[in-house]
Every structure is written in C-alpha cells, then in structure tokens.
Amino acid sequence: MLLKGASILVECLKEQKVDTVFGYPGGAVLEIYDELYKHQSEIRHILTCHEQGAAHAADGYARATGKTGVCIATSGPGATNLVTGIATAYMDSVPMVAITGNVAVSLLGKDSFQEVDIAGVTMPITKHNFIVKRVEDLADTIRRAFQIAQSDRPGPVLVDIPKDVTIKKAEYERQEPASISPMTEYISESALDEAVKMIRSARQPFLYVGGGAVISGANQEIVRFSEKLKIPVGSSLMGLGGFPGDHPNFTGMIGMHGTKVSNVCVTHCDLLIVAGARFSDRVVSNVSTFAKHAKILHLDVDAAEVDKNVMTAHHVIGDLNATFKALNERLQDFTIDNGGWLRAVQENKKKYPLRIVEDGRLHADYILRSIYEIAGDDAILTTEVGQHQMWTALYYPVRKPRTLITSGGLGTMGYGFGAAMGAQLGRPDKRVFNIAGDGSFRMNLNELATAVHYQIPMIQVVMNNQTLGMVRQWQTLFYEQRYSQTNLDDRGPDFMKLADAFGLPAFHVTTPEEVRPAIEAALRESGPVMIVCDVPKDDKVFPMVAPGASIEEVMLDED
C-alpha cells in the first residue's frame, strides 16, 4: 500500500511490537507525531520534560524488559539532548533505537534552522546510525536498526529522518521481524576443549561475571557451573544480578569499590574466568598487578574486547549462555579438587564482612537493607551515580538479572529517574525504587512532572547528605579536605516542598526508626512517591582502592 514516510515508520514500530515510546515533539517530527496520535491505542507515547529523560527512560525500559527501547526527538537541540542518553546506552550495551527528525534533504549541510549532523555527532557512541534520504529506504532501515540494536552485543542505533521523507509516499508491505539468534558460530570445539583443559587443571579458580551475563540470560547456567565446580564468583557493577547476590559462592563486587574478598580472590587465583566483562579500569586498577598469579580465560560475545585492556591466555567468542551450556556439558563428570580454596574464600568472607554502622544515626546501608527486606524480589532498583550507587551495589543483594539498573560505563548523573520511569512502565508487575544522591537528583528532577502526570508508581529515594558525596570523599582522602564546589547545604531545594509543588506524596526520614514505615507507606501508594533520607555528610564508601594501587590494597573503613 502507498503510505507517507511517517506512516511507514509507525507501521514498522508496530511490526517490531513496540508498545511504548518516549519523546518530545518539534517541527521536524510533526508528521511522525501526527501518526502517533492516530495510533495511540497501539503505541503509548510518554512525553518527558526533556529529551535526555526520554533517552534514559528508553534505556531503563530496555534493561528491565530485555526488549529494545525507543525514543524520539526533533532536529537540532532535540537531537543533541539525546546524546548523553545514547552514550550511556552505548557504554552499557543497551538495545535502543533513537529516532530523530532533521531538516529537509535539500537543506542538509546548509546550517539551516535547527539543523545538526546528528549522525556525525553520534557516530562514536552508537552501534550504527543512519540518515534516511529516500522514503523508499525507510522501512528497511527501521527494520535493520532494530536488528542491529538487538543482535550479538546489543547497543543503541540512531535513525535520522529528514522532514520531507516523513511526508513523501512509498509502497509499504508489512513484514514479520527477523528472528534474532544468539551468536554461536565462533564457539568452536577446539576453543571449548582448551577452555575445559584450563578449568580441569586449575586448583584456585575464580569466576568474574560482567554485564554480558545479564544481557545473555546466562545466569542459570553460570549458577550451575559455579555450584558443580565449587567456584567462587565475583561481579562487576554491571554484572550484579548475573549471579545471585545471596548465594554462598558469591563474594561481591570486584575493583575500586569491590569487596576485600573479591579483590583478594582475583589476586590469588590461578585461573580467572571472565564472563561478559571488559576489564574496565574501575575493576582492574593497576594492570601490572591484576590477577598476577592467574591464567585468564575470557568468555565474551565481542571479539574486540579480547586483549584490549588485559592480555588473556585463551578466549571463547560467542553467546555466553550457549558457551556455559557447552562447558557444563563437557564438565558434567568432572569434580574439581579445590575444597581448600573455597574454604579459604569462605573464611575471608567471615574475616572481611561489609561494615554495618549502628550508632543510632541514619545510614545508607540500613535504608538499602530495609528496602530489600520489605520489597525483596518484587523490586527493581535504579540508581543515579555517586556514593549512593556504590552503597547500593555493596549492600543490596541483587538476586535476579535486570533488577539493578545503573549507569556503569559512562557514570551518568541524572540517569536514574528517567531509567526508573522506563523500567516501571516496562515492568508494571514490579515496584521500582530510584536510589539517588541529592546532587544527582537535582540534575533531572524536572521529570517528577512526567511521573506525576502519568501516575508512574515509582518510588524516589533521595540520600540527602547536602554534598556531592563521592567527589567530597576524594577531596577528603586525596585533596587535604579542600571541598571545592561540593557543598550543597545552602543551595536547596527543600525536597519536601518540591514534592508538594509537583503534586506527589513525600516522606522525610531522619532516624532509622522512620525508615520501614516510610517504605511501607510508599508501597501502598498507587502513583509516584518520594522518600527523603537525611544521611551524614561525611559517610564514605568503603572498601576503596586508591588510584594506581593494586586491587588487593583495599582501604577498609578502619584504615
């Protein structure tokens, strides 16, 4: 049938079973928004207060559901306002399709009103991007964008559509979405045999899981692998949930703010099995001392990550779930002789527990443990970036994949609120808590209006210490307490009055006794809620590894 470009776009979104898009209209996308109006019973559009909020919401929706998130913005500043959200998704391998409008094809490259070469701007932060100059190419481009976003290692794809392409007509014929198969063609018998040989010869193996464990859905096979071979398991920030956080074999996060147990395991293991992780500098710290006694076996879907940051002894390239299934089959009759190693790890867990402060004051660890005890597996946590993010990673036992959503690679302050909206809309069966510091929360608090308008029942928790806490921590430890531009105590806002202005209920928590009643009351609300928690300004995140130090040289609170 003969359809306008805007109609073709919406039909293609329906082909891909898109049920929710996030965006902000403007002149270059008016035709698209007119079509969305006609199809509002099939595709729900969430109007955010800012395009960055739309990108983060699409990201959170994707991470919580495993589907591809979609956001839309107009040309020029609308498109550039998506950039931080696209980069966030790129760094954490999140499937997203960002659709931007642009000036007419004849005006491209002429510095026209609200024109930006958004394809050029986003080239380094997208898995692929397109500018569609012919309406005849639009349908196939949209289909290809979704396939690229979801396949192999996922990531964001941008499709830039000039306005006249949305107006012109072309023939459209509906197609079923192409199936996305796990990447297994490079998982060779020889690669698996060598991996099995390394595992069989190890006496002190340690498994380090990254975000790929969550993305691939390999968590059950990884648990089977760990339990069968009695292998302790640590995680990157992005890997939390890829292995149950309350499992006896789990040692916690690795790296700069990793647990002492995990960091000691990496340093003293004789085989480090790395599953779906990229050896981030926040994990590795000093490369020359990282896993210095170990052979490294790298399992990953992306060959570009092998030997990029850390040299490995062997690798298997392919879908992690398929790789662990194959390894488990080959090792089903093997019993590893590492009981002494596992016992030593368990002893270290007792020797180096995370410190729980009980001095009568309100601290973040108590708030997070209370959320877990009350909401448990019915909750999804999103976070902003800073101390509260690390406290969440350390003290909240993430048991299931896709229940902790955070900006790991880019470290985007202001990410969490939009992500929480997207996650809550994508998973209405869960309650979403966004854990924020007051500094991060101030970055995108305008989206409170979005949550209230759509009555998104997310719970915003503000750890209010009246400072940019993580930066202050570094200033305390390494800059002789010169607190340059990190104090927020005289800058406001009054968060309780702010909640009232936006029209959502709020609870002000100042003592440990007030925490549980506030959480329970928030869970009874049918719309968005804010809980403002006053925590001490000089609470710090420990463990911590100083810059340039070995990850074994962990500073604990008593240090």
Side-chain angles (χ1 to χ4, degrees):
M1 71 186 98
L2 193 66
L3 295 178
K4 290 194 302 183
S7 299
I8 291 171
L9 169 61
V10 172
E11 291 299 325
C12 286
L13 294 179
K14 289 160 58 179
E15 281 181 9
Q16 300 294 327
K17 298 179 173 56
V18 173
D19 56 21
T20 305
V21 299
F22 305 87
Y24 205 98
V29 289
L30 278 174
E31 292 288 334
I32 296 171
Y33 271 82
D34 192 51
E35 285 301 316
L36 287 170
Y37 181 87
K38 298 172 187 175
H39 293 270
Q40 57 188 296
S41 63
E42 298 159 285
I43 298 176
R44 170 179 54 181
H45 181 280
I46 302 298
L47 174 63
T48 55
C49 293
H50 190 281
E51 291 90 352
Q52 186 181 137
H56 293 328
D59 176 309
Y61 177 94
R63 297 198 208 203
T65 63
K67 298 190 288 187
T68 300
V70 180
C71 56
I72 302 175
T74 193
S75 62
T80 58
N81 282 343
L82 294 177
V83 167
T84 298
I86 293 171
T88 301
Y90 180 74
M91 290 291 282
D92 292 342
S93 303
V94 178
M96 177 197 293
V97 172
I99 298 164
T100 54
N102 213 328
V103 299
V105 172
S106 61
L107 297 176
L108 291 172
K110 297 182 179 180
D111 294 332
S112 304
F113 177 68
Q114 288 194 333
E115 181 201 355
V116 161
D117 176 13
I118 194 63
V121 169
T122 60
M123 188 175 294
I125 55 167
T126 51
K127 190 175 176 185
H128 200 81
N129 64 28
F130 302 90
I131 179 166
V132 184
K133 295 183 179 180
R134 299 174 66 250
V135 67
E136 293 82 2
D137 299 331
L138 181 57
D140 286 344
T141 301
I142 297 297
R143 292 165 184 147
R144 191 174 170 212
F146 274 86
Q147 190 166 22
I148 291 170
Q150 298 170 77
S151 61
D152 304 338
R153 180 180 181 171
V157 177
L158 181 130
V159 183
D160 192 38
I161 310 173
K163 184 171 183 176
D164 54 336
V165 173
T166 68
I167 298 171
K168 292 177 180 178
K169 294 184 177 182
E171 287 292 331
Y172 164 80
E173 185 175 344
R174 178 179 171 78
Q175 294 184 13
E176 286 298 312
S179 60
I180 307 295
S181 301
M183 193 181 89
T184 58
E185 58 267 34
Y186 301 111
I187 305 176
S188 67
E189 294 294 321
S190 61
L192 290 170
D193 289 344
E194 180 61 26
V196 167
K197 181 180 176 182
M198 294 175 71
I199 293 166
R200 285 177 178 272
S201 63
R203 290 297 172 264
Q204 295 184 175
F206 186 66
L207 175 58
Y208 156 34
V209 298
V214 174
I215 294 166
S216 63
N219 50 299
Q220 290 183 353
E221 291 293 335
I222 290 173
V223 170
R224 181 182 163 201
F225 180 83
S226 170
E227 289 179 345
K228 173 70 173 64
L229 301 179
K230 300 180 179 63
I231 297 179
V233 182
S235 169
S236 69
L237 173 64
M238 299 310 302
L240 291 170
F243 192 85
D246 59 350
H247 194 286
N249 288 5
F250 189 62
T251 61
M253 199 163 62
I254 302 168
M256 176 179 283
H257 289 293
T259 65
K260 177 87 170 180
V261 183
S262 288
N263 288 0
V264 167
C265 283
V266 171
T267 305
H268 293 281
C269 66
D270 63 0
L271 175 65
L272 180 62
I273 306 167
V274 182
R278 57 187 178 83
F279 298 100
S280 160
D281 58 300
R282 284 297 175 103
V283 167
V284 172
S285 192
N286 187 328
V287 176
S288 66
T289 60
F290 182 77
K292 59 186 176 184
H293 303 297
K295 292 181 180 179
I296 297 177
L297 170 60
H298 195 177
L299 316 175
D300 206 285
V301 75
D302 187 356
E305 293 297 344
V306 174
D307 297 335
K308 185 176 82 174
N309 295 327
V310 171
M311 297 303 293
T312 61
H314 182 59
H315 59 265
V316 180
I317 300 302
D319 176 73
L320 268 190
N321 194 36
T323 298
F324 273 101
K325 279 183 179 178
L327 291 174
N328 284 332
E329 287 172 6
R330 283 164 170 77
L331 292 163
Q332 59 183 335
D333 298 324
F334 174 64
T335 302
I336 195 168
D337 181 19
N338 68 337
W341 166 244
L342 193 59
R343 282 193 297 274
V345 172
Q346 298 299 346
E347 285 301 313
N348 274 340
K349 287 176 71 172
K350 295 176 184 176
K351 185 178 179 181
Y352 302 115
L354 291 173
R355 184 167 181 248
I356 304 297
V357 180
E358 295 180 331
D359 59 2
R361 297 187 299 167
L362 179 61
H363 298 280
D365 63 276
Y366 181 76
I367 298 164
L368 291 160
R369 287 184 287 116
S370 297
I371 292 172
Y372 178 75
E373 289 165 7
I374 294 169
D377 289 344
D378 290 327
I380 293 174
L381 264 62
T382 64
T383 82
E384 304 290 349
V385 170
Q387 286 181 315
H388 60 278
Q389 179 189 35
M390 294 297 102
W391 284 322
T392 302
L394 289 166
Y395 289 101
Y396 192 90
V398 186
R399 294 188 63 248
K400 295 182 179 180
R402 303 191 182 280
T403 57
L404 175 65
I405 296 171
T406 190
S407 172
L410 198 64
T412 305
M413 292 176 70
Y415 165 79
F417 196 96
M421 292 194 300
Q424 186 68 81
L425 290 166
R427 293 296 308 272
D429 57 314
K430 302 282 188 181
R431 286 302 290 273
V432 176
F433 290 76
N434 180 44
I435 310 300
D438 49 330
S440 283
F441 179 57
R442 292 180 353 155
M443 289 221 169
N444 279 331
L445 57 78
N446 53 329
E447 296 299 345
L448 283 169
T450 308
V452 170
H453 176 78
Y454 293 100
Q455 283 297 287
I456 302 171
M458 55 171 286
I459 299 171
Q460 171 63 57
V461 179
V462 182
M463 304 285 191
N464 184 24
N465 58 4
Q466 299 188 329
T467 187
L468 300 179
M470 187 62 86
V471 186
R472 181 184 177 89
Q473 177 166 330
W474 279 61
Q475 288 172 335
T476 301
L477 296 175
F478 308 117
Y479 292 88
E480 299 177 338
Q481 302 181 33
R482 293 187 293 274
Y483 299 123
S484 176
Q485 303 303 315
T486 49
N487 288 320
L488 304 177
D489 50 0
D490 59 350
R491 300 183 184 220
D494 182 322
F495 291 117
M496 297 300 290
K497 290 181 179 177
L498 185 75
D500 185 57
F502 277 98
L504 74 160
F507 303 92
H508 192 187
V509 174
T510 60
T511 67
E513 294 75 22
E514 295 170 333
V515 172
R516 294 180 71 92
I519 296 169
E520 290 165 351
L523 287 167
R524 289 193 292 268
E525 295 287 339
S526 59
V529 188
M530 189 189 305
I531 304 174
V532 181
C533 302
D534 292 350
V535 296
K537 180 176 288 189
D538 281 307
D539 275 4
K540 295 178 177 60
V541 178
F542 288 109
M544 181 180 179
V545 176
S550 166
I551 62 169
E552 189 181 19
E553 301 171 37
V554 182
M555 289 187 289
L556 302 178
D557 194 53
E558 54 266 29
D559 298 328

